[in-house]
Amino acid sequence: IPAQAAPPLPSWNEGPTKSAIVEFVEKVTKKGSPDFVPENQRIATFDNDGTLWAEQPVYFQLIYAIDQVKKMAPEHPEWKTEEPFASVLKGDMKNVIASGKEGLMKILAATHANMTAEKFRANVSDWLKTARHPKTGRPFTEMVYQPQLELLDYLRANGFKTFIVSGGGVDFMRVFAEKTYGIPPDQVIGSSLKAKYEVKDGKPIIIKLPEINLVDDKEGKPVGIHQYIGQRPIFAAGNSDGDYQMLEWTTAGAGPRFGIILHHTDAEREWAYDRESHVGKLDKALDDAGKKGWTVIDMQNDWKTVFPPAKQ
Amino acid sequence: IPAQAAPPLPSWNEGPTKSAIVEFVEKVTKKGSPDFVPENQRIATFDNDGTLWAEQPVYFQLIYAIDQVKKMAPEHPEWKTEEPFASVLKGDMKNVIASGKEGLMKILAATHANMTAEKFRANVSDWLKTARHPKTGRPFTEMVYQPQLELLDYLRANGFKTFIVSGGGVDFMRVFAEKTYGIPPDQVIGSSLKAKYEVKDGKPIIIKLPEINLVDDKEGKPVGIHQYIGQRPIFAAGNSDGDYQMLEWTTAGAGPRFGIILHHTDAEREWAYDRESHVGKLDKALDDAGKKGWTVIDMQNDWKTVFPPAKQ
Ligand SMILES: [Ca+2]
Ligand SMILES: [Ca+2]
């Protein structure tokens, strides 16, 4: 008799949400069951911002970009008068956002491009060590959801291959995804810039170019899944309308499928937001979850804990 | 005392090439060794055409495209006079090749795009079942190199994650890579077309567009590795100048690295070609292999067997 395994998903409250997840995993892994899915087809995709880690008050990657602009400012005296940099330096986020796509592209180019992939990785890694969340004071890699970490582990223990499919920058997420989520770099799919290979002074380098390669959001998510994973997931989790198409694509396939929407309902332990939010807007996907058969996680009721205990 | 494992690489002749491979694998997997590489960094990338399967008399994917044009011809009476289709239908390959990039793009658009990813997959799968190699009469998936299948297995048994990084079409290779090489779709990187997601008559589909997304050849290989794998391999294998940059990028990294060039030297069991070949041209990479420290496989001398035994 094998030792009894610890019950799965300890940070999830008992109830229909947890039961639905466990029932799904049990039926697709049960040999001989009509719902059995071979291991090489057990593909699970997770959005990142607002699904695996928090996204308030703004996307953490935007906080990174702003911190980098501030750090680089001494070498760019022209930024004192050049928008959107001047507003970033003054902390006038309203003006930064008002600069629109063009402004954000300038910030992206300055902080994410025109450098080697190696340099970018080192910058993000350094930032993660010292940067702290403005509300909780915790490292950003501790602003992850404990129940989701358990869900990832549970799926992998049951032969699933877990992927991130996120609108966030792929090179940004790859710096911490393996250590934080147990998801290796090649299983992280995200928005990306074009890149170029060259040999400079005898040293081969990859340079990040200030040009969009893939916007891995909305219709871009099934496209990213097609290009990077090459097969349709049977399990997908998201938290916003940006995940609508990923969930639709995943759950429209034949055989057993599972779609999850994380609904941020917990103003006390995390944040409560949905239809009107400037990040993670959840409107159409919430309306359609019922008819699409997607499971809506009610953070306040379904989760015993939100964040993992502090490491120090 | 554990049962003794079968000796690795049985289809490789004893000699410096096999020894170099085995020594490399043993040193990077030996805990405590200065050359030890943790499992999550044991990334191995293989070119496909001419490295894992044959590529003579022409790339097999081109044979697929030509067969598809012939199959589709009855629905396209205009092709009788429209180039390059007219030449394809007459079997005038010289004229087809003379049609250049523009002509090949037309063939690609007709046979690889403007259809769902699902339909394309089914077409390739059907073709693989019945198509036979023009010289050997064998299914194309049996035109693979037995010693390389053993090398893939050996690397995986030693904790390597094996990837294909090929100039060939990613959607084409993904149809057979898992069954043939044990490499799942998400570990296959290749040239690709852009794609689009849409819901048609209530059914979500991915459509392959007649527009290049990535040319995964030459400088495109390290770029593909960056975008899809997100870390530098420690082991790379190729057979042509198209692999130069992948080998350069791989072996220029710090710590132990291994680069392989398969030299087609066996006119009797396979084909002998290199500097002047219209496929798999191997010139600069052969010249530089010595100074770059790449191991050149001499097919005739290093391989006991070339192809696996026939399945039927
Ligand atoms: Ca999200
Ligand atoms: Ca090749």
Side-chain angles (χ1 to χ4, degrees), chain A residues 73-249:
Chain A
E75 295 147 53
H76 294 272
E78 73 280 10
W79 285 356
K80 275 182 199 149
T81 53
E82 192 189 324
E83 288 299 347
F85 302 104
S87 295
V88 170
L89 296 174
K90 277 180 249 162
D92 183 349
M93 284 311 291
K94 257 195 195 154
N95 233 358
V96 174
I97 288 160
S99 72
K101 251 193 189 169
E102 204 189 330
L104 285 175
M105 201 58 215
K106 278 186 191 168
I107 295 173
L108 199 65
T111 59
H112 286 65
N114 302 314
M115 67 183 85
T116 65
E118 200 178 351
K119 175 69 179 154
F120 177 76
R121 202 178 301 124
N123 285 349
V124 175
S125 178
D126 286 348
W127 177 79
L128 285 171
K129 279 175 206 151
T130 56
R132 294 296 179 265
H133 188 274
K135 186 182 161 193
T136 66
R138 298 185 68 173
F140 288 100
T141 49
E142 292 185 14
M143 295 297 293
V144 297
Y145 304 129
Q146 177 63 26
Q148 300 288 59
L149 299 181
E150 294 168 8
L151 178 54
L152 288 168
D153 278 342
Y154 176 56
L155 290 169
R156 288 190 291 253
N158 282 282
F160 281 77
K161 199 164 182 175
T162 55
F163 292 83
I164 290 175
V165 177
S166 167
V170 66
D171 291 344
F172 183 77
M173 296 184 288
R174 281 173 173 167
V175 177
F176 59 89
E178 186 152 30
K179 202 173 160 199
T180 305
Y181 305 130
I183 298 180
D186 61 287
Q187 289 165 226
V188 178
I189 295 145
S191 296
S192 57
L193 299 175
K194 290 192 189 297
K196 162 174 94 164
Y197 176 78
E198 65 180 46
V199 179
K200 202 179 168 185
D201 306 328
K203 197 190 163 196
I205 50 175
I206 301 277
I207 300 173
K208 288 165 67 66
L209 303 176
E211 240 183 294
I212 300 289
N213 180 53
L214 172 70
V215 177
D216 192 42
D217 196 30
K218 300 194 173 75
E219 299 80 10
K221 288 205 178 198
V223 170
I225 288 169
H226 164 70
Q227 302 285 26
Y228 287 76
I229 304 180
Q231 61 181 320
R232 202 193 289 221
I234 65 166
F235 184 109
N239 76 303
S240 80
D241 285 357
D243 300 304
Y244 194 99
Q245 287 82 359
M246 173 167 78
L247 288 169
E248 181 177 64
W249 174 239

